[in-house]
Amino acid sequence: MKKAWIRFAILVALALLFLSFALFASVLAPFDPLESHYADMLQAPNATYIFGTDQLGRDLFSRILYGGKSSLLIAFAVTAIISSVGILIGTIAGFTGGIFDNLLMRFSDMLMAFPGYIFTIALVSFIGVGLPNMILAMSLTGWTFYARISRSLVLSVKNNVYIEQARLGGASNWKILLHYIIPNVLPSLLVNIFQDIGGELLTISGLSLLGLGSPPPTPEWGFMLSEGKDYMYSAPWMLIFPGMVILISVVIFNLLGDCIQDLMNPKENVW
């Protein structure tokens, strides 16, 4: 158990470190991410440009720092929206039951019948390219997962003895939801929430790679990969460093979700 807490502390520190890079990019970046230095185009990593430069002579390290604002913060925003909406809908549906429950679940079944990534691409293509539209499209398709999980968790706890005792004590439905149902459901969902941050980050990067994310020249990790693919052999650092930060971020949040699950189910953990 002690090892799990140590691992949890390390992962939280790493996650906060990445978030700090994104939040304080304007302080940490040595160059303007949009400023071109045509005399330094496609420079390999060196003392001046530690991650090298791109095809316009822009500093890759500065662009990656600023790209964290688009990639990481949007991943957090999307995860917060879909988890809060999905948990609210699923909790109310599972608690009330009846026709409301049936209608919501059939609607979520209809949305889940379409591949989420394809549906998101279709929505972004229809409503227009840009970060706000991408967040809207991802939110419209992502809440169903949380709705179904939270509903099943509510159904498993709403008939417990302590719920019946609360009813006998005169507690209203809202009080039961807020004080008894949600506190018992939310911890189990934290694992999915933290792991979903990595999944949303991959989705954002994939959409930007297809040209459906932030418009150029805004720095964003997926779009930087899209720019770098044409220079795979002549300037591989344009792919290596953005891909590396995406990989590390996804791994950190996935491991953080696994670690929370281990802490919720105490056992002997192995590094």
Side-chain angles (χ1 to χ4, degrees), residues 3 37 51 53 61 65 85 88 101 123 126 149 171 185 214:
K3 290 181 179 179
H37 304 90
F51 281 2
T53 61
F61 180 68
L65 288 177
V85 171
L88 178 64
D101 180 27
L123 280 176
F126 178 74
I149 291 182
V185 168
S214 56

Side-chain angles (χ1 to χ4, degrees), residues 6-128:
I6 294 174
R7 195 171 105 184
F8 176 75
I10 293 173
L11 290 171
V12 168
L14 290 173
L16 291 176
L17 181 64
F18 266 72
L19 285 176
S20 350
F21 286 154
L23 292 172
F24 299 104
S26 57
V27 177
L28 299 173
F31 296 95
D32 185 337
L34 304 181
E35 183 181 358
S36 300
H37 304 90
Y38 295 107
D40 297 324
M41 293 188 299
L42 300 178
Q43 288 282 319
N46 54 58
T48 304
Y49 305 105
I50 59 174
F51 281 2
T53 61
D54 62 8
Q55 75 280 12
L56 297 178
R58 296 172 297 190
D59 178 47
L60 277 182
F61 180 68
S62 300
R63 288 181 62 77
I64 286 175
L65 288 177
Y66 274 87
K69 287 186 177 180
S70 300
S71 300
L72 284 176
L73 299 184
I74 290 174
F76 270 84
V78 171
T79 305
I81 292 171
I82 64 176
S83 60
S84 56
V85 171
I87 291 171
L88 178 64
I89 291 175
T91 300
I92 294 175
F95 186 73
T96 58
I99 188 171
F100 181 70
D101 180 27
N102 289 329
L103 287 175
L104 284 175
M105 289 305 104
R106 298 298 76 77
F107 181 65
S108 67
D109 287 341
M110 181 181 68
L111 288 179
M112 293 179 72
F114 299 95
Y117 195 76
I118 304 299
F119 196 29
T120 302
I121 291 175
L123 280 176
V124 173
S125 302
F126 178 74
I127 63 180

Side-chain angles (χ1 to χ4, degrees), residues 118-164:
I118 304 299
F119 196 29
T120 302
I121 291 175
L123 280 176
V124 173
S125 302
F126 178 74
I127 63 180
V129 176
L131 293 181
N133 292 338
M134 183 171 65
I135 293 174
L136 175 62
M138 293 173 66
S139 301
L140 288 175
T141 58
W143 64 270
T144 54
F145 172 76
Y146 288 97
R148 297 198 69 87
I149 291 182
S150 57
R151 174 182 177 269
S152 64
L153 290 172
V154 169
L155 290 175
S156 68
V157 302
K158 77 172 187 176
N159 293 321
N160 286 345
V161 176
Y162 61 87
I163 302 295
E164 295 299 326

